[in-house]
Amino acid sequence: MSGRRNGTDVGNPWNTRPPRPPGDRPDRRRPSRAPAPHEERPAGGSRDELRLYGLNAVQAVFAHRPEAIRKLYLVESRIPALKSLLAWCVKQRVGYRVVEEGDLDRLAASTHHEGVVADVLKAEPLPVADWLRALPERQPVAALWLDGVGNPHNFGAILRSAAHFGVAGILLPRDSTLALSGAAARVAEGGAEQVPLVRMGNPENAIAQLRGAGFTLAATVVRGGDDLFAASLPQRLVYVMGAEGEGMDTRLAAACDQRLSIPGTGAVESLNVAAATAVFLAQWRAAR
C-alpha cells in the first residue's frame, strides 16, 4: 500500500495501486519521508500549480476539476474518506503517497491540513468579457469587487460566504496581486471551486462593461452610506469591498452608483471585510 518503501515500491515513490483496505495491517517499517516544501515544489512551478490542503478543499477540486490534480499526499486515517479519489488516482495514474502527520505539516507549512495535501493546476481568472457572456439572462446576479483585500484568511472566508450565497464571481482589479493560496482554499471549505475569479482591465472600462450588462455598483463604506437594511437592492448588483485597513480607493467609491453601510451600535469601528461581506450578501439574498 501507500508510500512505504517496501520491496515493490523501491525506486517508485509514487503509488498508483489501490490502497490497502483500512482493516489490513500496514507495513510497520519506517515510511518514506515526504519532501518538505523547499525540497519539492509542484511540478509545474508556482506559476502553474498550487499546493492545497484541507479535506473539503481537496474534495472540491476532485468534484469540479479532477483533471487538475497532479499529486496527492494523505495520512492513513484519511484513506476511507478519500477512497473515490484514490481509485481515480489509480485509474488515471496520478501519484499518491501515504505519509505521516509531520510530513504533511512540512508539505503544507501548516498544521491545519486535515490529513491531506494535493498539488493541483491553478484555475486562471476569467477575462471580464468572457464572464459577462456566460452569465444567465433575466436572473438576479450578485458579484464582489475586491479592492485591496489581501489577507488570505479573509479571502478564504469571503469565498466561503460567496459560495454559500450564490455569488456569480469575484472581480479582481487589473493590478491586484490577490490569488488563491492553500490557506485561502482551506478557509473557503470548498468555496474556492464554486466561485470563479474574474480579472478586470482598466477600471473605467470595467465599470462601463458592468453597467452595460445591467449591474449597479455599490460601494460598501463604514460610515456615511445608506442603511443596508433599508436600501433597495437591485437584481444585478456588484458590491465593492475595500481593503481591511485603508478601505477602498476614494475615486472608485465615488464612481459607484450607491454607498451602503451596515448600521451597528458603534461599540467597535466596523466589521472586518470578511464578516461585512457575509452581511451584505445575506441582505441581497433576503431581498430576492
Side-chain angles (χ1 to χ4, degrees):
M1 117 179 216
S2 78
R4 289 167 168 74
R5 295 182 69 83
N6 53 36
T8 58
D9 282 340
V10 172
N12 178 27
W14 290 102
N15 207 341
T16 53
R17 295 174 299 157
R20 186 192 307 272
D24 288 5
R25 290 185 62 83
D27 183 349
R28 292 301 180 187
R29 284 172 287 183
R30 181 177 177 84
S32 58
R33 184 177 68 83
H38 68 275
E39 294 173 317
E40 175 178 285
R41 295 183 179 278
S46 60
R47 290 175 299 178
D48 302 317
E49 294 190 15
L50 175 66
R51 180 156 285 165
L52 295 184
Y53 54 92
L55 186 61
N56 287 337
V58 172
Q59 288 181 320
V61 174
F62 178 50
H64 293 90
R65 329 181 268 131
E67 71 285 350
I69 299 172
R70 290 295 176 262
K71 292 178 183 176
L72 183 71
Y73 309 82
L74 70 159
V75 293
E76 187 171 342
S77 62
R78 279 302 186 196
I79 290 174
L82 296 169
K83 183 178 179 182
S84 296
L85 173 52
L86 290 169
W88 181 88
C89 286
V90 171
K91 183 176 180 180
Q92 300 299 322
R93 301 191 65 80
V94 171
Y96 70 87
R97 188 184 295 182
V98 178
V99 298
E100 300 299 314
E101 190 88 13
D103 297 322
L104 292 187
D105 294 348
R106 289 187 288 271
L107 283 164
S110 170
T111 59
H112 301 295
H113 47 69
E114 300 173 348
V116 61
V117 173
D119 291 339
V120 305
L121 288 175
K122 292 180 180 178
E124 293 300 321
L126 299 170
V128 65
D130 292 352
W131 174 72
L132 288 172
R133 279 194 293 270
L135 290 178
E137 297 181 4
R138 296 182 295 276
Q139 291 186 25
V141 178
L144 296 171
W145 179 323
L146 302 186
D147 180 52
V149 176
N151 181 288
H153 293 91
N154 279 337
F155 185 35
I158 288 170
L159 285 166
R160 184 173 183 174
S161 293
H164 180 75
F165 290 111
V167 166
I170 304 288
L171 310 182
L172 303 177
R174 176 178 54 186
D175 57 352
S176 172
T177 60
L178 187 63
L180 187 67
S181 65
R186 183 192 65 81
V187 174
E189 294 286 356
E193 293 298 319
Q194 297 281 355
V195 186
L197 302 183
V198 181
R199 180 71 67 185
M200 297 182 292
N202 176 279
E204 291 78 10
N205 291 343
I207 290 172
Q209 287 175 294
L210 291 167
R211 285 183 176 141
F215 281 97
T216 296
L217 277 69
T220 61
V221 296
V222 174
R223 290 175 296 275
D226 295 334
D227 183 332
L228 169 66
F229 304 120
S232 176
L233 300 179
Q235 292 286 304
R236 288 198 163 200
L237 177 63
V238 175
Y239 282 124
V240 183
M241 311 300 301
E244 292 89 341
E246 60 272 18
M248 76 180 66
D249 183 278
T250 55
R251 293 168 297 179
L252 176 58
C256 290
D257 306 296
Q258 289 181 284
R259 294 169 65 88
L260 297 173
S261 298
I262 300 172
T265 63
V268 294
E269 182 181 10
S270 65
L271 297 174
N272 102 329
V273 66
T277 297
V279 174
F280 280 111
L281 292 177
Q283 184 62 14
W284 180 84
R285 184 64 178 263
R288 303 282 72 78

